[in-house]
Amino acid sequence: MNTQYLTAFERSIADPEGFWMDEAQELSWMVPPSRALDRLPNGASQWFPDGMLNTSALCLDVHVAAGRGDQLALIYDSPVTGVVRKYTYSELLAEVNALAAGLSAAGVGKGDTAIIYMPMIPEAAIAMLACARIGAVHSVVFGGFAPRELAIRMDDARPKVILTADAGVEVQRVIDYKPLVDEAIAHAQHQPERVVVFHRGLAGTCQMGARDIRWDDFVQAGAEVPPTPVGSNDPLYILYTSGTTGLPKGIVRENGGHAVALRYSMEHIYGIQPGEVFWAASDVGWVVGHSYIVYAPLLRGATTVLFEGKPIKTPDASTFWRVIAEHRVVTMFTAPTAIRAIRKEDPQAELLQAFDLRHFRAQFLAGERCDADTLNWTRDVLQVPVIDHWWQTESGWPMLGQCLGYGLDAVKPGSASFPIPGYDVRIVTAEGAEAAPGEEGLVCVKLPLPPGALADLWNNTERFEQGYLTPVPGHYFSGDGGYRDADGYVFITGRVDDVINVAGHRLSTAEMEEILAAHPGVAECACFGVHCDLKGQVPMALVVPTGSGDFEALATELKAAIRHEIGAIASLKAVVAVERLPKTRSGKILRKTLRAIADGVEYKVPSTIDDPTILTEIEQTLQPSQP
Ligand code: COA
Ligand code: AMP
């Protein structure tokens, strides 16, 4: 391991307070913190407890004040609408001020919540920064989620306003957002006071009701809103993510630690200098979008790309290369699924030949396990280092990876490499001991968690403690399994719970089961993720029907129910009828065994199984029906 990385890592573990206090000096605090860390009795970290700051000011005002107002802050590139629009730091600040003034006039202030349900347009980032400016807490909901999901989040976050748009575009299909918001409000118990709608002119008709107001009528162009000082541990945002129950978890991100950690990560992990162009090809609805489309590049004074398109079909598999070339992106971030999709369309990367990517320095991959073949192909065609790094909504920034800013070590395909400074990653056996090299265990982080990582769940400290801090005392439990080899490289093998990962999107099988079980035709069901060459995993359901009617019709209804209740990203690839489900003697469904059977991989018959003969039945039913 290179010495610069090692020195930083070792200091971050031996002296976290000193390490992060030094990093905190890189930011312009309104009131600088006098101490680094308070450790709460439950193990949670409160970083820079007496510091005051404003995240929007750190993202915008400080750069304008430093004379870089004319530098590009954000490039919006939308192949689905044929638009490219660029904002300098001064222009972005003006847009944020105008919306912040509208929000303030509508009575939204410090500590109030706002939901942002928008497609990938600059106004989504502007909405996030405007909330941050006035100390309001935003909760962005991914635009691909169905109204029921939006309603669940509304009832938990209790927003005063919802910011949305008339429509988004999925490749060539226009998706009307406003009716989805109306449906969610009709489902939800909590009612927002205002719905602010940005009109793109894409939706046929956009019905406006009494609580709705057009974005253009809501903002106050030319206004200047002084950034509200907030405490370091005041929440900046809530981001819901799938857990092991039907109810998503509201990850709370605080202002101070987040700003310190994200600025640090841009410099040292991604190796980005102010003024350089960074691109995270994700969606603002996911944590990657929060951290690396919006906040981190701006905290670093870099230029971010906000891309409204897909790796393929918008218009073809050369889109990523065009964006890198046209906007002079030096480092980018995407999910392995996106690369697999490009490779499927253009296996020899012939489309790449048309572009000059000599300025491109590195490709980062995350969001799901990256197979060695995908990583090697990417490296061979791009001729730059390809770095697999591992993180979660909870951490908000990488926990494993390599730091371009400190210099790279050899990459081992299939491994997400080493702990990032701040994260004391440990592999712990089921008995709670440190695993031996090569031995698989639970991937944990020894406490304290560094700045930026979650400190709580919104409205649910008990679930936070039970889910993350109690399973392995003294550690944060990630929910992933993995091992460390003799050279210190960590390999993530996948979730050990009922969360699955589809195209880099995290989904709860428990939630899917709840939806299926609510159908009168379903006596019992089990959902699990099966291998997919493109998306990593796709969800599949085994169903014990209540009657002997037309199963094809039932399966069609069940697939439609999942799309309608969660969204198309959770589409079930197969619904298979079975007579019984394999369970433990205490009645727990053996989903891991089902997944192994469906994937056609070897498995051990669990010693806890109630009736092993069911497995033979399932094998006979499942193997021909692999998606
Ligand atoms: N709004 C509405 N619908 C959406 C949506 C959104 N924001 N995002 C996805 N969907 C819909 C799609 O239209 C599709 O609907 P369909 O089944 O009716 O066609 C469905 O959800 C599945 O979408 P997607 O997961 O994008 O799959 P796809 O087959 O359309 O495209 C890929 C395949 C590989 C191109 C796509 O999965 C992809 O770009 N993956 C990379 C994702 C990524 O970057 N993840 C990282 C997050 S950090
Ligand atoms: P999310 O919170 O949606 O970002 O999903 C986080 C989960 O995605 C992790 O718990 C892992 O299971 C998976 N994941 C993310 N990055 C990687 C990676 N580089 N390698 C393996 N799994 C990953």
Side-chain angles (χ1 to χ4, degrees), residues 263-399:
R263 197 220 64 84
Y264 170 84
S265 71
M266 283 314 277
E267 180 177 358
H268 296 290
I269 302 178
Y270 299 105
I272 294 289
Q273 298 302 320
E276 291 187 325
V277 185
F278 179 80
W279 176 27
S282 179
D283 188 290
V284 286
W286 305 114
V287 68
V288 176
H290 280 62
S291 294
Y292 293 107
I293 296 174
V294 182
Y295 288 113
L298 299 180
L299 284 161
R300 181 70 174 139
T303 304
T304 186
V305 178
L306 191 140
F307 172 73
E308 188 182 27
K310 300 253 175 180
I312 52 171
K313 298 188 189 150
T314 61
D316 59 27
S318 73
T319 308
F320 274 21
W321 320 141
R322 176 196 56 84
V323 172
I324 295 172
E326 198 171 311
H327 303 308
R328 298 200 67 76
V329 172
V330 297
T331 303
M332 95 166 271
F333 180 138
T334 191
T337 294
I339 300 285
R340 286 193 291 263
I342 293 171
R343 183 182 179 187
K344 205 167 156 214
E345 301 270 306
D346 182 19
Q348 305 305 324
E350 282 163 11
L351 297 171
L352 184 60
Q353 305 315 318
F355 301 96
D356 178 359
L357 303 192
R358 276 173 299 179
H359 57 281
F360 189 55
R361 287 205 290 263
Q363 173 72 61
F364 282 81
L365 298 175
E368 59 184 314
R369 220 181 78 76
C370 182
D371 54 288
D373 202 28
T374 300
L375 188 129
N376 290 335
W377 184 85
T378 316
R379 186 201 51 215
D380 292 348
V381 302
L382 286 174
Q383 296 284 308
V384 293
V386 179
I387 301 154
D388 178 9
H389 60 330
W390 170 77
W391 51 299
Q392 309 178 296
T393 308
E394 287 84 345
S395 66
W397 63 291
M399 296 188 277

Side-chain angles (χ1 to χ4, degrees), residues 386-613:
V386 179
I387 301 154
D388 178 9
H389 60 330
W390 170 77
W391 51 299
Q392 309 178 296
T393 308
E394 287 84 345
S395 66
W397 63 291
M399 296 188 277
L400 289 172
Q402 295 212 21
C403 296
L404 196 56
Y406 291 135
L408 297 178
D409 286 286
V411 164
K412 280 197 192 183
S415 165
S417 294
F418 314 121
I420 294 293
Y423 285 100
D424 190 359
V425 175
R426 304 286 179 105
I427 312 294
V428 181
T429 64
E431 293 72 39
E434 184 105 25
E439 185 186 5
E440 198 163 332
L442 308 173
V443 184
C444 298
V445 180
K446 193 163 182 292
L447 298 176
L449 284 171
L454 87 167
D456 207 347
L457 291 181
W458 190 253
N459 291 335
N460 209 338
T461 301
E462 197 184 330
R463 191 175 180 192
F464 164 67
E465 292 167 353
Q466 278 175 1
Y468 299 111
L469 302 177
T470 313
V472 184
H475 295 74
Y476 162 80
F477 169 53
S478 69
D480 281 352
Y483 64 94
R484 194 191 300 258
D485 75 5
D487 300 324
Y489 285 79
V490 179
F491 292 73
I492 301 291
T493 48
R495 299 289 305 191
V496 295
D497 55 16
D498 298 332
V499 169
I500 62 169
N501 195 310
V502 179
H505 307 323
R506 183 164 151 181
L507 300 169
S508 160
T509 53
E511 185 175 13
M512 294 178 192
E513 287 175 7
E514 262 181 32
I515 291 164
L516 300 185
H519 191 291
V522 175
E524 258 195 310
C525 64
C527 288
F528 48 94
V530 289
H531 175 79
C532 167
D533 282 344
L534 177 64
K535 297 187 178 184
Q537 280 187 309
V538 282
M540 170 174 189
L542 295 195
V543 168
V544 181
T546 43
S548 55
D550 178 356
F551 189 76
E552 280 302 302
L554 175 64
T556 305
E557 279 179 34
L558 295 177
K559 285 183 182 178
I562 294 288
R563 287 174 70 91
H564 182 256
E565 304 277 294
I566 300 180
I569 49 163
S571 287
L572 291 172
K573 286 297 170 200
V575 178
V576 178
V578 290
E579 283 180 20
R580 306 179 289 165
L581 289 169
K583 290 184 188 164
T584 62
R585 283 184 284 277
S586 59
K588 207 167 172 276
I589 296 172
L590 291 161
R591 292 183 190 78
K592 203 171 152 197
T593 312
L594 288 173
R595 193 176 72 209
I597 296 174
D599 283 343
V601 297
E602 267 187 47
Y603 65 93
K604 265 202 216 142
V605 177
S607 57
T608 50
I609 194 165
D610 183 31
D611 175 3
T613 62

Side-chain angles (χ1 to χ4, degrees), residues 42-54:
N42 66 6
S45 308
Q46 297 226 299
W47 284 94
F48 318 113
D50 58 357
M52 303 282 290
L53 73 165
N54 181 282

